[in-house]
Amino acid sequence: MSFDWGIIIANWKFLILQGLMGFGAFGGGTLRLAIPALVLGFILGVIVGLCRLAHRPWIHYPAVLYVEFFRGVPLVMVIFWFWFLIPQMTGQRLPEYTVALTAFVVFEAAYLGEIVRAGIQSVPRGQVEAATAGGLSYRQMMVHVILPQAIRNMIPSLVTQFIVLFKDTSLASIIGMMDLTKAAQTVSQREIRPFEMYLFIAVVYWIFTYSMSRFSQWLEVKMSPERAPTRRAALRAATAEAPA
Amino acid sequence: MIQFRGVNKWFGPLHVLKDIDLHIAAGEVVVVCGPSGSGKSTLIRCINKLEPIQKGEIVVDGMPLNDPATDITKLRAEVGMVFQQFNLYPHMTARQNITLAPVKVRKQSREEAERLARDLLAKVGIPEKADDYPAQLSGGQQQRVAIARALAMQPKIMLFDEPTSALDPEMINEVLDVMVNLAREGMTMIVVTHEMGFAKKVSHRIIFMDEGRIVEEGAPHAFFANPKEERTRTFLSKILVH
């Protein structure tokens, strides 16, 4: 068995510029799909999460239905629906990229909405009472007291979900969108070098997901100034723990 | 300043406040005591409508609480509240905790609010803690910041819901001292507490509650010297023995 790592170099423009970043004749692109999907999915997720927490039944129940429905069906199926359904309903085919982005935003918002809901509920009730007693309106309380604490508690789950989303973008290749996976598949079929190609994209995916995980750890510390021990406190703790 | 007329409240099937009639004058310091579950915390939480009532009427500073025309946010700005668990905002420094409501609700300028925060932290005896986060403060210091936060809205009434119950014994006095000073300045205060020393020292009236009713009320001297009701005597014997 012999390997030819040279084909990565020979095809790097196609793999990285086209497949990963989406610059090229085919459109698509893993990052060009993942980044807007993540941002739009999160915005929709916050709306879904807040609606689930609402007391009014006509706001609450549609949100419950939305979450339970999209969490209960496979992502591949949602992608296929949009792929086959939109042309039937509108009479025209949308580009693969648009279909994939819509499917991801709609699907991910269900998961992200649950994370947002759990994050808000993790803030102790006393915080709501203190803000209410202080005369803050619902909006002021959410913006200044509840959400800053909730988002901090959400970071680990949010980043996990973002990592899942990032990897799931590889499913966009099944409707023919040119992402990193599809690019690797194309090269691999032409050159008959599947091992080199799929190992290479595994490394690329991993580099991104690992960076996200490290970023999450950094952000958690950064957003919790009060939890970061002062230098003196850290020194004191270190001396106390040291064996005599 | 505060009137309760025939107030009843239920938590589901549980009848927690029964026919409460109560008048509290401006400048009065009232201590509410009673066994746990007697409704004393619920009573004061009704005053700023943290808890709604099902029957009767409460009027605070001329504003009827159940009138839809009453601006509850305005009312809450007039009533400061201090909680057993402090409930400071953990992601904000002591100073930010104090300035949030004045800036957002009272629309004070930032400089004005900061100046007020400095004065209030000096008043509660911890001017050097302005930039500390709640997690870096002791329980007593946190509760003093919470008092400063409530005072920053320049309320006409202060409600204290067991303010020293979650504190280590050696920190209780630093909080009570602040409250004693506040009482002597003429603040209208309603304090749910079992600190009978505080009650004797500064309160004008003590209310004893049991099972959702006001069992007995009176001036502290008479209340401690010869309580009229048997239930009050039993309760006092239990908390005054040690």
Side-chain angles (χ1 to χ4, degrees):
Chain A
M1 206 172 171
S2 69
F3 301 118
D4 177 12
W5 302 107
I7 68 152
I8 295 167
I9 311 291
N11 291 289
W12 79 271
K13 264 190 175 170
F14 183 64
L15 290 166
I16 298 300
L17 290 182
Q18 172 66 70
L20 180 67
M21 294 159 76
F23 298 135
F26 296 95
T30 293
L31 288 178
R32 209 164 69 86
L33 174 63
I35 293 167
L38 194 145
V39 173
L40 297 173
F42 181 64
I43 294 171
L44 188 59
V46 171
I47 296 170
V48 170
L50 286 173
C51 288
R52 262 210 81 166
L53 287 170
H55 293 297
R56 296 195 183 102
W58 53 273
I59 302 179
H60 173 79
Y61 285 108
V64 173
L65 199 70
Y66 180 91
V67 169
E68 294 301 341
F69 183 76
F70 281 105
R71 276 201 319 182
V73 295
L75 174 57
V76 183
M77 217 185 78
V78 177
I79 296 172
F80 278 143
W81 274 347
F82 281 101
W83 182 238
F84 293 114
L85 209 71
I86 295 175
Q88 286 217 340
M89 285 185 353
T90 61
Q92 53 174 274
R93 261 188 55 178
L94 289 176
E96 296 87 348
Y97 173 79
T98 314
V99 172
L101 181 60
T102 315
F104 276 104
V105 169
V106 166
F107 186 81
E108 290 299 325
Y111 284 88
L112 295 168
E114 279 299 276
I115 294 172
V116 170
R117 178 186 67 84
I120 290 174
Q121 284 178 333
S122 74
V123 178
R125 222 191 122 56
Q127 295 291 308
V128 177
E129 292 185 350
T132 309
L136 269 65
S137 68
Y138 176 81
R139 209 188 65 82
Q140 289 171 330
M141 174 176 82
M142 274 296 163
V143 171
H144 300 290
V145 177
I146 306 301
L147 284 178
Q149 298 181 57
I151 289 175
R152 208 171 59 183
N153 294 348
M154 285 175 218
I155 291 173
S157 318
L158 275 183
V159 173
T160 302
Q161 193 57 39
F162 288 161
I163 288 173
V164 171
L165 166 67
F166 184 75
K167 294 190 298 179
D168 279 353
T169 55
S170 59
L171 287 173
S173 63
I174 60 172
I175 55 168
M177 197 196 88
M178 186 55 78
D179 72 333
L180 186 59
T181 304
K182 181 81 182 168
Q185 204 181 349
T186 312
V187 175
S188 140
Q189 276 164 1
R190 193 178 59 216
E191 313 270 351
I192 329 281
R193 285 284 172 195
F195 180 81
E196 290 87 339
M197 272 301 109
Y198 290 121
L199 186 69
F200 170 69
I201 65 166
V203 170
V204 176
Y205 278 115
W206 184 84
I207 289 170
F208 276 92
T209 54
Y210 185 67
S211 312
M212 283 159 85
S213 146
R214 291 307 298 261
F215 174 71
S216 139
Q217 287 163 19
W218 173 84
L219 196 65
E220 258 183 273
V221 174
K222 172 95 179 161
M223 282 186 71
S224 312
E226 81 284 1
R227 285 185 210 163
T230 58
R231 274 186 73 87
R232 203 187 300 160
L235 263 172
R236 213 168 28 232
T239 348
E241 277 165 31
Chain B
M1 186 63 106
I2 304 168
Q3 282 103 35
F4 280 68
R5 289 191 204 105
V7 170
N8 280 273
K9 175 171 177 60
W10 287 265
F11 284 125
L14 200 65
H15 198 176
V16 284
L17 291 180
K18 298 171 185 162
D19 303 318
I20 303 288
D21 285 295
L22 181 64
H23 293 252
I24 293 166
E28 203 177 356
V29 177
V30 176
V31 163
V32 184
C33 63
S36 63
S38 60
K40 52 194 193 302
S41 285
T42 310
L43 179 86
I44 69 164
R45 290 160 62 89
C46 289
I47 296 171
N48 58 356
K49 219 178 178 181
L50 277 185
E51 301 285 355
I53 57 167
Q54 281 79 38
K55 204 171 142 221
E57 189 187 21
I58 302 178
V59 181
V60 177
D61 193 26
M63 292 181 271
L65 255 57
N66 278 15
D67 186 344
T70 299
D71 182 353
I72 292 296
T73 306
K74 183 165 176 288
L75 175 123
R76 283 178 177 143
E78 307 284 327
V79 182
M81 187 159 196
V82 175
F83 301 87
Q84 183 177 356
Q85 299 295 342
F86 329 134
N87 296 351
L88 291 177
Y89 309 133
H91 59 301
M92 297 183 187
T93 62
R95 187 212 317 271
Q96 290 166 333
N97 263 278
I98 298 169
T99 55
L100 178 69
V103 170
K104 299 296 168 193
V105 182
R106 286 249 192 262
K107 310 289 176 203
Q108 272 184 12
S109 72
R110 190 149 287 286
E111 300 79 63
E112 205 181 334
E114 301 264 331
R115 200 172 330 117
L116 181 65
R118 238 192 335 269
D119 293 348
L120 286 168
L121 282 171
K123 186 181 167 125
V124 299
I126 39 172
E128 74 284 5
K129 300 293 184 188
D131 295 317
D132 283 23
Y133 287 93
Q136 296 164 330
L137 302 174
S138 72
Q141 291 168 339
Q142 288 189 53
Q143 194 59 303
R144 286 188 279 162
V145 173
I147 295 174
R149 176 176 68 177
L151 290 174
M153 292 294 279
Q154 289 154 334
K156 294 181 179 165
I157 301 165
M158 283 286 284
L159 308 174
F160 292 85
D161 188 1
E162 306 209 30
T164 57
S165 301
L167 294 177
D168 288 341
E170 71 266 30
M171 292 172 184
I172 290 178
N173 280 332
E174 64 189 54
V175 171
L176 288 179
D177 287 345
V178 171
M179 291 168 60
V180 166
N181 286 335
L182 204 55
R184 292 196 170 137
E185 285 168 18
M187 175 65 77
T188 309
M189 291 166 64
I190 302 153
V191 186
V192 173
T193 186
H194 291 151
E195 293 297 330
M196 292 301 140
F198 172 82
K200 281 179 194 165
K201 204 164 168 184
V202 292
S203 80
H204 301 105
R205 187 162 33 138
I206 301 183
I207 291 175
F208 173 67
M209 289 185 72
D210 190 26
E211 295 183 346
R213 283 180 204 284
I214 295 178
V215 175
E216 182 163 357
E217 56 180 304
H221 180 73
F223 183 84
F224 288 114
N226 40 14
K228 293 190 282 284
E229 303 287 334
E230 180 56 39
R231 186 68 190 86
T232 318
R233 274 196 288 275
T234 327
F235 178 75
L236 286 178
S237 72
K238 278 183 187 141
I239 62 165
L240 293 179
V241 159
H242 336 279

